[in-house]
Amino acid sequence: MRNSSRRGFMKTAGMTALLSSMGTHKAFSQGTSNKQSTSRHNFDEHFNRIGHNSDKWDLIIQQYGREKIKASMGVADMDFRQFSEVNSALRERTKYENYGYEMVPDSYYQSIINWNEQRYGQSIKKEWIKNSATLLPSITASLVGLNPHKGKVIIQTPTYSGFWGAIKRAGMTRVEVPLKQNNGKFSMDLAAVERAFDDDTKCLIICNPNNPTGTAWSADELKALGDLCIKHGVTVLSDEIHCDFIRKDKKFTPYSSLGEKYANTSITYRSSSKTFSQSSLCVAHFFTQNEDLMRATMKTHRTACNTYGLLACEVA
């Protein structure tokens, strides 16, 4: 679809659907707040996903039997109906009966830029952003590009188990540094992290906020960790896929927003797949202002997102 045609489609499909439900408030063009979204979406509705090839439900029922499953807790996936605006835009897209190669429109990148600016006060540029079907392939590509001699990667546990596979596929050695736990709260053991550094340590992966503990790392904690990484020449790979799930008494701090030296020694990975429950649409992105870090990642990474994923992310 030509860029001009797609702009017209977005205007008539996604935009019309959103405007009809929200009015023409200026904030719409910059993304909607969490309060606005929940006020027009029924999160109390029971949405049955069993029988529709659900990884979360059908797979585990096959393994253990329906009678043994009361709640499926194995996959970070939500059982909500997709937002009506996204559904409307996707249905409208099917009327254009061609699925050939398409350019990624500027409006998609602008939606990401606006979202970050409005929600986190973080300014990023289009030229910093690259796309990926999911986060793990891009993280793997970063590890490969930044570790030509197959060095070590530090992770702080407990953390997302997918990092294990990414590190293994990159041919790297995993070094686990346990988080400290006190009265049910987790914190970083920075002394242990520094002890784990050696000449073969090239990257540290942080889950910000942490999965599975839910810990929203403070700016001070992130800066202290970042200072150690900068001191030892270690690049921070910040997985921020759960950044929109923060308790009311906490605040999400993007790692790259801490300051120039932190932004220049890190890569950030994000996706709408968790925030808007769009995992099967395969859309994710990552960004860094450091051209050398991006160039190293892109040596083996192939950007790949499908038309429906890009559209669903932009409309959401």
Side-chain angles (χ1 to χ4, degrees):
M1 187 186 297
R2 290 181 305 173
N3 203 32
S4 59
S5 298
R6 193 182 189 286
R7 284 198 297 270
F9 160 72
M10 284 301 300
K11 184 179 294 185
T12 57
M15 301 305 219
T16 300
L18 278 167
L19 287 170
S20 64
S21 64
M22 294 180 57
T24 56
H25 194 277
K26 181 180 178 181
F28 157 71
S29 63
Q30 301 174 338
T32 61
S33 70
N34 189 50
K35 181 177 180 181
Q36 289 171 316
S37 297
T38 55
S39 67
R40 60 185 182 9
H41 191 82
N42 183 12
F43 288 102
D44 293 323
E45 176 192 12
H46 174 68
F47 192 78
N48 184 13
R49 300 178 61 197
I50 297 174
H52 293 273
N53 295 319
S54 168
D55 193 350
K56 180 178 180 179
W57 288 98
D58 293 324
L59 179 60
I60 202 166
I61 287 173
Q62 289 177 13
Q63 292 175 332
Y64 300 104
R66 180 70 181 92
E67 69 282 357
K68 294 183 179 180
I69 306 301
K70 294 184 178 180
S72 180
M73 303 292 288
V75 176
D77 196 12
M78 296 190 288
D79 297 329
F80 299 125
R81 186 186 301 275
Q82 184 58 229
F83 295 106
S84 60
E85 295 87 354
V86 172
N87 292 331
S88 296
L90 295 182
R91 283 193 293 269
E92 188 68 24
R93 173 59 180 83
T94 64
K95 296 178 182 179
Y96 181 78
E97 298 172 341
N98 184 279
Y99 301 106
Y101 292 114
E102 295 185 18
M103 298 183 297
V104 179
D106 288 342
S107 55
Y108 163 79
Y109 293 107
Q110 193 61 49
S111 70
I112 293 172
I113 292 168
N114 290 347
W115 184 265
N116 281 275
E117 179 66 37
Q118 180 180 333
R119 294 183 72 90
Y120 319 128
Q122 183 179 19
S123 297
I124 61 176
K125 298 180 180 180
K126 174 188 173 183
E127 56 266 29
W128 298 352
I129 305 171
K130 298 294 183 182
N131 293 310
S132 182
T134 61
L135 291 193
L136 288 179
S138 53
I139 291 176
T140 300
S142 294
L143 292 174
V144 171
L146 296 170
N147 292 267
H149 302 296
K150 308 300 182 185
K152 298 177 181 178
V153 182
I154 292 178
I155 55 174
Q156 299 175 88
T157 56
T159 192
Y160 173 44
S161 60
F163 296 150
W164 276 246
I167 294 170
K168 183 177 181 179
R169 284 190 294 275
M172 316 304 298
T173 300
R174 183 180 78 245
V175 178
E176 298 182 24
V177 178
L179 297 170
K180 295 188 293 186
Q181 186 176 6
N182 185 26
N183 294 326
K185 294 184 178 181
F186 289 85
S187 61
M188 300 182 193
D189 190 340
L190 295 177
V193 169
E194 186 162 29
R195 287 195 298 270
F197 286 139
D198 61 20
D199 291 339
D200 292 327
T201 307
K202 303 302 179 184
C203 292
L204 178 146
I205 302 176
I206 184 172
C207 209
N208 177 35
N210 182 262
N211 173 13
T213 70
T215 305
W217 305 115
S218 69
D220 288 341
E221 288 175 303
L222 292 172
K223 283 183 178 180
L225 178 68
D227 289 340
L228 288 179
C229 290
I230 292 170
K231 174 183 175 181
H232 292 274
V234 173
T235 301
V236 173
L237 309 182
S238 186
D239 177 352
E240 300 181 358
I241 196 170
H242 291 287
C243 60
D244 293 307
F245 295 96
I246 303 295
R247 293 188 298 270
K248 291 182 179 180
D249 60 331
K250 301 297 181 180
K251 178 184 178 182
F252 165 65
T253 302
Y255 181 84
S256 61
S257 71
L258 296 172
E260 184 72 15
K261 65 178 182 179
Y262 306 100
N264 206 45
T265 54
S266 67
I267 305 175
T268 297
Y269 307 82
R270 301 259 185 89
S271 175
S272 64
S273 63
K274 301 305 180 187
T275 302
F276 296 107
S277 195
Q278 297 178 349
S279 299
S280 65
L281 291 172
C282 296
V283 57
H285 63 276
F286 57 101
F287 59 87
T288 177
Q289 69 179 47
N290 187 317
E291 294 182 4
D292 291 334
L293 297 183
M294 183 61 77
R295 192 177 298 112
T297 299
M298 297 308 293
K299 286 181 179 178
T300 59
H301 179 69
R302 183 175 184 271
T303 57
C305 290
N306 69 73
T307 292
Y308 288 101
L310 294 169
L311 177 58
C313 174
E314 180 178 341
V315 174

